[in-house]
Amino acid sequence: MKQVTAALCAGVLGIAACAPVPVDQVPTPATGPYGAAQPAPVLTNDGTPQSAARMFVSVMRRMEPAVERECLQRRTQPINCDFQFVVDDRPGQEANAFQTIDATGRPIIGFTLSLIAQTRNGDEIAFVVGHEAAHHVLNHLDRKAGAAAAGAVILGSIASVYGNNPDAIEAAQRIGASVGSRYYSRDWELQADYLGAIMTLNAGFDPINGSRFFERIPDPGDHVLGTHPSRAARLAQVRQAVADVQSGRVR
């Protein structure tokens, strides 16, 4: 069995905390459509740290092979599919999950302790894992950087037409970078919800039940240049992914 370590160390993301969570990876049995696995055991969080930790580790055992398999099958560039899962154990951090890569290009998926504590069951943790892994598979990190660079160039160029004030141009470039990266983010979030739902299914979890986590966080609505789509749009995207899997029409 492959030994997977979930840890957050100073050498990975510049954060001093380091909370290793060793996980023995087990193969995911593929029996359903599109490789969907047999249902995972029911995993719930009773509100204790011990329960949350057991749930998290159990989910990782099934999700890790599922996301790596999907990454290898779907990648359109030679990206690294050897995911590492990490936990930020610093006190006082708000509920959050994130995706990034380390200096070698290895994908890192991180969770704060407060997010793990707030999830009620394994389906919710699994869906968060799938969503963040999907951002890597779909190359959203690089695409976001490219959109930000394009926005900075465009707005900086417009500012230069109205004067050669370096401070004004620099300010315009910062605004342009922010606008450029945010303009596409709602579509990317929905893409990650769709692929993340498929990964969740393939590990034997229920992404529709998992996506109910959205119902307990503030709804961003559908604001212009908002970084996340509305709750209704995200829930609909997850239902569509499940329907596509069941009908064999997966995108």
Side-chain angles (χ1 to χ4, degrees):
M1 290 185 294
K2 177 181 177 182
Q3 189 76 1
V4 181
T5 299
L8 187 56
C9 302
V12 177
L13 297 173
I15 298 175
C18 181
V21 183
V23 181
D24 289 328
Q25 175 188 333
V26 296
T28 302
T31 58
Y34 199 68
Q38 293 176 344
V42 176
L43 303 168
T44 58
N45 180 4
D46 64 11
T48 65
Q50 295 82 1
S51 171
R54 284 195 299 268
M55 181 182 69
F56 178 75
V57 171
S58 295
V59 170
M60 292 303 120
R61 295 180 72 213
R62 296 179 71 97
M63 285 300 294
E64 201 270 353
V67 300
E68 290 194 354
R69 183 173 65 244
E70 199 72 22
C71 179
L72 291 170
Q73 291 174 350
R74 284 181 175 262
R75 63 182 177 182
T76 57
Q77 299 180 24
I79 59 174
N80 189 329
C81 292
D82 181 18
F83 285 84
Q84 182 179 23
F85 301 99
V86 302
V87 175
D88 183 349
D89 66 352
R90 293 175 299 167
Q93 297 298 303
E94 64 182 28
N96 191 28
F98 57 88
Q99 179 267 321
T100 187
I101 56 175
D102 67 13
T104 69
R106 185 181 186 185
I108 307 294
I109 297 178
F111 314 84
T112 60
L113 288 177
S114 55
L115 181 137
I116 296 172
Q118 287 183 24
T119 53
R120 294 178 176 173
N121 52 63
D123 294 329
E124 292 184 354
I125 280 285
F127 180 71
V128 172
V129 173
H131 174 89
E132 296 300 331
H135 278 307
H136 175 70
V137 176
L138 297 170
N139 202 33
H140 286 164
L141 204 62
D142 285 347
R143 292 170 64 188
K144 182 175 182 177
V153 170
I154 292 170
L155 201 53
S157 298
I158 293 173
S160 67
V161 171
Y162 293 94
N164 294 318
N165 185 327
D167 292 337
I169 294 173
E170 182 180 355
Q173 288 173 336
R174 287 197 300 270
I175 296 171
S178 176
V179 170
S181 64
R182 295 174 65 189
Y183 184 79
Y184 299 99
S185 61
R186 285 180 295 177
D187 286 343
W188 293 341
E189 290 298 322
L190 290 174
Q191 291 171 15
D193 285 339
Y194 184 92
L195 180 54
I198 292 172
M199 292 178 177
T200 304
L201 267 179
N202 289 350
F205 295 98
D206 181 353
I208 293 179
N209 189 44
S211 66
R212 292 194 173 101
F213 184 69
F214 292 145
E215 297 174 355
R216 302 198 305 278
I217 60 178
D219 186 357
D222 194 20
H223 305 295
V224 175
L225 295 182
T227 58
H228 284 73
S230 67
R231 179 189 299 139
R234 302 189 73 173
L235 295 173
Q237 186 80 332
V238 173
R239 291 193 296 269
Q240 184 63 57
V242 172
D244 286 352
V245 168
Q246 294 172 341
S247 63
R249 298 194 307 268
V250 172
R251 300 197 293 268

